[in-house]
Amino acid sequence: MFAALSLLVVVVVYRILSGFLGSGDFHWAHNFAPVAAVALCGAVYLPRRIAAVLPIAMLFISDLVLNLFHYHQPFFTFDILPRYAALGLISYMGFALRGRSNIPRLLGASFAGSIIFFVITNTGSWLYQPEYAKTAAGWVQAMTTGMPRFPSTLWFYRYTLISDLFFTLLFAICMAVPFKGESQPQMAAGEPARS
């Protein structure tokens, strides 16, 4: 539990710092974020009573800080709805893995979660952004090339996928390491640790 909570705090700080330091230009770290990994692994590893609420609440806090103090835009806009809907689905996948997770299943769910996040959020952008034609061709543009003033959406997706897999693996490894005061580590495979 301590490892999971500590990792959540580190993730929120990382997300806020990377937003402040890397959002103006589109270098490699722009979409290298732990968002989906937190939703997935929080549902797998945290106690049931806080497993869905705490990760989403921490992401909410980081969104609030970034929107108010960095992007200078209202917190609640239409484009936030698809993002949280996608994270809710990814969290649901984590609940489905609870008690029977292992590294291959977690990485498979992380891969699927990346696709879910990409499709839902880009469809939301297609619906919300006036630059996209509200046609099948406009939707394909939202899924591939994106808007002309930005790198392609596939460029963003590449880093989303890499970061989702990386942070999911990091979370699983952290959960397998025993911390002082814990009797045994929580294994990513859902099996009790051997003494």
Side-chain angles (χ1 to χ4, degrees), residues 54-178:
L54 186 63
I56 300 299
M58 294 187 92
L59 295 171
F60 178 85
I61 290 166
S62 63
D63 275 344
L64 188 62
V65 169
L66 287 170
N67 282 357
L68 292 179
F69 300 110
H70 181 62
Y71 299 124
H72 306 290
Q73 67 178 17
F75 174 70
F76 189 79
T77 58
F78 175 79
D79 63 332
I80 203 168
L81 295 175
R83 192 165 52 231
Y84 280 86
L87 292 174
L89 287 173
I90 293 166
S91 183
Y92 180 78
M93 288 183 352
F95 275 107
L97 289 175
R98 239 180 132 80
R100 55 187 188 88
S101 66
N102 57 33
I103 298 296
R105 283 183 183 157
L106 280 172
L107 293 177
S110 180
F111 181 80
S114 292
I115 293 170
I116 288 168
F117 190 85
F118 177 80
V119 170
I120 290 175
T121 57
N122 284 4
T123 299
S125 292
W126 170 70
L127 291 170
Y128 178 71
Q129 298 293 331
E131 293 90 349
Y132 290 122
K134 304 305 181 246
T135 62
W139 183 79
V140 169
Q141 177 189 357
M143 294 296 145
T144 56
T145 60
M147 290 187 269
R149 66 182 188 267
F150 296 108
S152 79
T153 54
L154 295 174
W155 183 90
F156 286 111
Y157 175 69
R158 170 179 55 184
Y159 293 111
T160 299
L161 175 62
I162 292 167
S163 67
D164 287 348
L165 294 172
F166 172 77
F167 285 110
T168 297
L169 187 59
L170 179 64
F171 207 115
I173 289 168
C174 286
M175 293 308 298
V177 174

